[in-house]
Amino acid sequence: MFTFSQIIGQEKAKGFFKQVLARDKIPHAYIFSGIYGIGKTSTAMALSMALNCLSPVNFDACGVCRACRQMKGGNYPDFIFLMPDGKNIKIDQIRELNRKLSFAPLAGKYRVCVLHQSETMTSEAANSFLKTLEEPPSGTIFILKTTESLNLLPTIISRCQRVTFQPLHVQDITDWLVNEKGLSEDSARILAKVSGGSLGLAIKMNENGYLEKRQEWLLSLINLPAISDEKAIEMALGYAGSKAKSLKNTSVSEEIGIMGILSIWQNWYRDLLFVKDGCQKELLINSDFSHHLKNAAKNYKIKNLIDGLMIIDQAQIDIMRMRNSKLVMEHTVLCLRKLALKRN
């Protein structure tokens, strides 16, 4: 997905850039903000292609000229993609970038430089980059990708045009997964719902066997009242062995770990509240478990379901703070079991 016409959703952002291209007055810096996997990188590539295409059509790249083919092949010399070195974008990376930018674009009229996870710049790197923004090299456009623009220095924000990207519609993600990945409608819709509007995350979850693991983890939660405290603790310690990485983190872990488990359980309690309120099946995330949800909801008071959500929320906070994962999961599972044993 490189040309504007091939990007799913983001009509507002695409329309904005077509207007910019029509005016032929290109700002030198943008901030692309929004969650992972919704088209920020694809839009940056589409903009680079549209700016340098030899035969543009309606302010979009043709996709077949030499410049477009190079871009698609990943070897266009005037498209620079800078990623964090470890956890941060460091001062040496910005210095090397500035060295490259001291030369004119090699192949096209514009050079596009994308800073992935731009909020990870160290203070030294950010201050150095700020100087570059204040005196931008001719023919260079900067795109700072971030989840939340407020994580950047105010002085950097003030020198950039902000473009907000919205989570994708469930139906758009569902259709793409069915057509491109061959998933069934039901499986695709579940991934679309739990991904929070991120196509990239839905793809990752599908590749990592999320649906199979989700079923296992939901059944363990459903069966929690039927097992002893000792078995519950054993289950919790087993889950604590999973890597505590969040599927909803901007870097998107390849592992489905503790945070993935907690997210699944959180969605379960959310669905129970919806069932209690008489909501339609279409609004449920775990619609394929609707029968289990109806049976389980009979045994809960609304207050207990809210308490369950708060227990899981606290567990997520504790894991993110790097608390002892075994103790966190043991406490969480036992508390959820206690709630499940309470009857109306």
Side-chain angles (χ1 to χ4, degrees):
M1 297 183 291
F2 292 106
T3 65
F4 289 126
S5 61
Q6 293 173 310
I7 295 172
I8 297 175
Q10 307 306 343
E11 299 305 323
K12 187 175 180 179
K14 291 188 292 186
F16 166 76
F17 280 114
K18 288 195 174 184
Q19 290 178 4
V20 169
L21 291 165
R23 291 195 301 265
D24 199 26
K25 291 183 179 179
I26 316 295
H28 71 278
Y30 296 95
I31 293 174
F32 284 10
S33 62
I35 63 172
Y36 162 86
I38 56 176
K40 298 192 298 293
T41 299
S42 297
T43 302
M45 292 178 173
L47 178 60
S48 180
M49 285 181 66
L51 287 169
N52 295 303
C53 178
L54 302 178
S55 304
V57 180
N58 295 326
F59 307 108
D60 199 0
C62 69
V64 295
C65 70
R66 176 178 53 81
C68 288
R69 292 198 306 272
Q70 283 184 307
M71 191 71 191
K72 286 183 174 181
N75 56 4
Y76 190 68
D78 292 323
F79 184 81
I80 300 173
F81 197 82
L82 184 65
M83 298 185 66
D85 180 8
K87 293 183 178 180
N88 299 101
I89 295 176
K90 300 180 173 64
I91 181 64
D92 288 344
Q93 291 178 274
I94 299 300
R95 287 172 178 162
E96 175 61 20
L97 175 63
N98 287 334
R99 186 193 67 79
K100 293 179 180 178
L101 299 182
S102 64
F103 303 98
L106 297 173
K109 182 179 179 181
Y110 290 96
R111 172 171 42 209
V112 175
C113 178
V114 179
L115 276 69
H116 180 63
Q117 293 181 340
S118 57
E119 74 279 4
T120 65
M121 281 188 284
T122 63
S123 57
E124 296 86 355
N127 287 321
S128 177
F129 182 71
L130 177 60
K131 294 178 181 178
T132 304
L133 281 181
E134 290 172 343
E135 299 179 11
S138 178
T140 297
I141 297 172
F142 296 101
I143 296 176
L144 284 69
K145 287 175 53 191
T146 183
T147 303
E148 173 51 65
S149 60
L150 294 178
N151 292 330
L152 297 166
L153 288 178
T155 45
I156 288 180
I157 295 173
S158 66
R159 288 165 172 79
C160 299
Q161 175 81 52
R162 280 181 275 184
V163 183
T164 302
F165 288 72
Q166 302 298 328
L168 301 176
H169 294 299
V170 167
Q171 192 60 52
D172 288 339
I173 296 177
T174 301
D175 291 342
W176 192 92
L177 291 172
V178 170
N179 296 329
E180 301 297 328
K181 295 295 182 180
L183 271 64
S184 69
E185 180 82 15
D186 289 343
S187 295
R189 188 168 295 279
I190 291 168
L191 289 174
K193 287 181 178 180
V194 299
S195 68
S198 168
L199 175 59
L201 183 55
I203 293 170
K204 284 284 186 183
M205 289 191 294
N206 180 53
E207 292 173 347
N208 289 311
Y210 174 89
L211 291 174
E212 293 78 9
K213 293 174 182 178
R214 162 186 164 273
Q215 187 169 27
E216 172 195 337
W217 292 333
L218 280 179
L219 289 174
S220 70
L221 184 62
I222 293 168
N223 295 326
L224 201 52
I227 63 176
S228 64
D229 281 349
E230 290 75 16
K231 286 290 185 181
I233 292 173
E234 182 181 331
M235 180 185 82
L237 295 179
Y239 288 157
S242 303
K243 294 186 178 179
K245 296 181 178 179
S246 171
L247 281 170
K248 295 191 176 181
N249 189 281
T250 52
S251 60
V252 184
S253 157
E254 265 87 83
E255 300 292 336
I256 302 177
I258 293 178
M259 293 297 280
I261 298 170
L262 292 173
S263 178
I264 288 170
W265 290 355
Q266 189 175 51
N267 288 334
W268 178 257
Y269 278 90
R270 174 258 190 204
D271 280 353
L272 284 172
L273 278 171
F274 273 44
V275 171
K276 275 286 193 185
D277 198 41
C279 291
Q280 296 178 349
K281 180 180 176 181
E282 289 73 21
L283 296 177
L284 302 177
I285 292 175
N286 301 289
S287 55
D288 55 330
F289 275 76
S290 60
H291 179 69
H292 290 282
L293 284 164
K294 289 179 182 178
N295 288 335
K298 298 174 184 176
N299 299 321
Y300 282 97
K301 296 179 181 179
I302 288 180
K303 180 184 180 301
N304 291 341
L305 294 176
I306 294 173
D307 288 343
L309 286 170
M310 293 178 67
I311 289 168
I312 295 170
D313 184 63
Q314 185 59 54
Q316 291 172 323
I317 292 171
D318 290 340
I319 293 297
M320 292 299 290
R321 290 176 176 172
M322 305 301 288
R323 302 276 169 81
N324 186 304
S325 60
K326 291 183 178 180
L327 292 178
V328 171
M329 288 301 287
E330 180 179 332
H331 175 74
T332 301
V333 168
L334 289 177
C335 286
L336 293 177
R337 182 173 183 275
K338 185 177 179 180
L339 281 178
L341 289 172
K342 292 183 178 179
R343 302 287 176 176
N344 286 326

